[in-house]
């Protein structure tokens, strides 16, 4: 009886602790209002000082959040998620062109943010090519000839079909920790490099360690990005089979024990990105905003 009472008291204590946790949105402001048109797929660098985004026509631009200057990376077409910040401060991205044979050809590019110059790093090739950020550089993964900025780009994570690839100390590891009917997407390495979050169709967001062991399931949300080592921001979208009916941002604890809404379902907020304490996102209409939060534990 005494043992049961102890367990009940412990459970009650845990419940109080869990419900006491909350998040406060301390500020929210529009970005590039009246300066740029619709902006999609924002991506902050690790410092939170520079923001990549795509225009409505697929051009890639970078905005300096310190001095307010916006620069064009390329006016060639770049698809969503085909650009990333490397750990060396450069931008690695993929442009697309339709050849005379009516096939799509992809070309790997590297943009030096310090000089504003771009170097073509792969020849045009048919087939998938994905930009992969590393802690020391970046890479462009392709079935044909890819590219890496260095022999060791540091730690990195990316997905291919129903596999998640993790590079640690020059060693590539491949895992399939959960079954997924339509594969994995949106791998994201935690700031301390110890965990990876990704989306598995039919399962939602999965958190694993560097050995592929599943640590937590965070719910059926998309596009996870690490806010810090303990929390992630993700989008929660609903549709009717034809179009989005709602979309909001969620704050998720990495161990799966807690979550909170950062925006309302009617906000149509999506494509979250985090860096340097900032959260940047856009809406279905391409309206960019920046958010700051405070987590009370």
């Amino acid at each position: 009886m005494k043992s049961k009472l102890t367990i009940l008291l412990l459970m009650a204590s845990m419940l109080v602790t869990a419900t006491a946790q909350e998040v406060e949105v301390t500020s929210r402001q529009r970005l590039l209002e009246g300066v740029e048109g619709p902006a999609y797929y924002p991506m902050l660098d690790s410092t939170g000082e520079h923001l990549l985004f795509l225009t409505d026509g697929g051009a890639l631009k970078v905005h300096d959040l310190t001095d307010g200057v916006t620069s064009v990376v390329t006016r060639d077409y770049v698809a969503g998620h085909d650009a990333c910040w490397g750990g060396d401060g450069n931008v690695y991205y993929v442009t697309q062109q339709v050849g005379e044979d009516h096939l799509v050809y992809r070309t790997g590019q590297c943009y030096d943010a310090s000089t504003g110059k771009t170097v073509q790093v792969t020849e045009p090739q048919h087939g998938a090519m994905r930009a992969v950020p590393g802690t020391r550089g970046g890479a462009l993964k392709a079935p044909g000839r890819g590219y890496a900025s260095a022999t060791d780009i540091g730690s990195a994570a990316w997905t291919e079909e129903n596999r998640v690839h993790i590079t640690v100390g020059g060693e590539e590891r491949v895992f399939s920790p959960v079954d997924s009917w339509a594969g994995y997407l949106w791998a994201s390495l935690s700031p301390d490099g110890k965990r990876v979050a990704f989306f598995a169709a039919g399962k939602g967001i999965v958190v694993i360690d560097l050995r592929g062991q599943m640590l937590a399931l965070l719910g059926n949300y998309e596009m996870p990005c690490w806010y810090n080592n303990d929390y992630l921001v993700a989008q929660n979208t609903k549709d009717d089979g034809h179009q989005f009916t709602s979309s909001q941002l969620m704050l998720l604890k990495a161990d799966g024990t807690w979550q909170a809404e950062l925006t309302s379902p009617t906000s149509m907020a999506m494509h979250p990105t985090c860096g340097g304490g900032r959260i940047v996102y856009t809406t279905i209409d391409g309206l960019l905003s920046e958010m700051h939060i405070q987590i009370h534990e």
Side-chain angles (χ1 to χ4, degrees):
M1 183 68 181
K2 184 176 181 181
S3 177
K4 289 183 180 179
L5 180 61
T6 302
I7 293 173
L8 288 172
L9 289 173
L10 179 59
M11 291 175 64
S13 174
M14 290 173 65
L15 180 62
V16 169
T17 301
T19 55
Q21 188 168 354
E22 62 179 21
V23 58
E24 175 188 1
V25 177
T26 57
S27 68
R28 195 193 318 263
Q29 63 176 345
R30 279 282 309 278
L31 295 177
L32 303 178
E33 186 173 11
V35 178
E36 291 286 336
Y40 301 96
Y41 298 97
M43 181 171 293
L44 287 165
D45 65 3
S46 60
T47 66
E49 297 175 355
H50 301 91
L51 178 72
L52 282 175
F53 64 92
L54 290 174
T55 68
D56 206 17
L60 183 64
K61 295 186 177 183
V62 59
H63 178 67
D64 190 317
L65 289 162
T66 302
D67 61 24
V69 174
T70 302
S71 305
V72 176
V73 176
T74 182
R75 296 194 184 278
D76 293 334
Y77 181 78
V78 178
H81 299 293
D82 274 358
C84 71
W85 288 102
D88 53 5
N90 293 334
V91 177
Y92 298 87
Y93 66 97
V94 181
T95 55
Q96 296 187 17
Q97 306 83 27
V98 178
E100 294 181 359
D101 55 4
H102 304 293
L103 296 176
V104 175
Y105 288 84
R106 295 172 175 84
T107 306
Q109 316 277 358
C110 177
Y111 172 80
D112 187 329
S114 63
T115 63
K117 295 181 179 180
T118 293
V119 175
Q120 180 179 316
V121 294
T122 74
E123 293 299 317
Q125 55 189 282
H126 179 58
M129 181 182 293
R130 57 179 50 83
V132 175
T135 55
R136 298 177 188 167
L140 297 160
K141 300 291 183 178
R145 187 171 182 179
Y147 169 81
S149 61
T151 303
D152 182 5
I153 65 169
S155 298
W158 69 98
T159 61
E160 293 180 7
E161 298 179 342
N162 63 339
R163 302 181 300 275
V164 58
H165 297 246
I166 303 174
T167 299
V168 181
E171 174 195 2
E172 184 175 328
R173 307 167 184 176
V174 184
F175 307 108
S176 296
V178 296
D179 293 330
S180 176
W181 61 271
Y184 301 167
L185 290 169
W186 307 311
S188 180
L189 189 69
S190 63
D192 62 7
K194 295 181 179 180
R195 288 168 293 174
V196 172
F198 65 94
F199 171 82
K203 293 292 192 298
I205 296 175
V206 183
V207 179
I208 61 173
D209 63 18
L210 302 185
R211 294 291 177 184
Q213 297 298 309
M214 189 170 68
L215 302 176
L217 291 171
L218 305 188
N220 193 24
Y221 307 117
E222 305 91 29
M223 296 188 185
C225 59
W226 292 86
Y227 176 72
N228 57 26
N229 289 320
D230 299 313
Y231 294 89
L232 298 98
V233 178
Q235 73 176 39
N236 178 28
T237 55
K238 306 295 181 183
D239 65 77
D240 59 8
H242 302 283
Q243 60 185 4
F244 291 123
T245 56
S246 68
S247 187
Q248 66 181 143
L249 299 191
M250 302 291 297
L251 182 68
L252 312 173
K253 197 163 187 180
D255 62 6
T257 61
W258 181 83
Q259 59 182 246
E261 297 181 353
L262 294 178
T263 67
S264 69
T266 58
S267 67
M268 300 306 287
M270 54 183 57
H271 304 166
T273 179
C274 304
R278 284 185 166 107
I279 301 170
V280 173
Y281 60 96
T282 189
T283 67
I284 195 170
D285 298 316
L287 304 179
L288 277 178
S289 292
E290 175 185 341
M291 177 194 299
H292 290 261
I293 63 174
Q294 186 172 355
I295 301 168
H296 303 285
E297 297 185 273

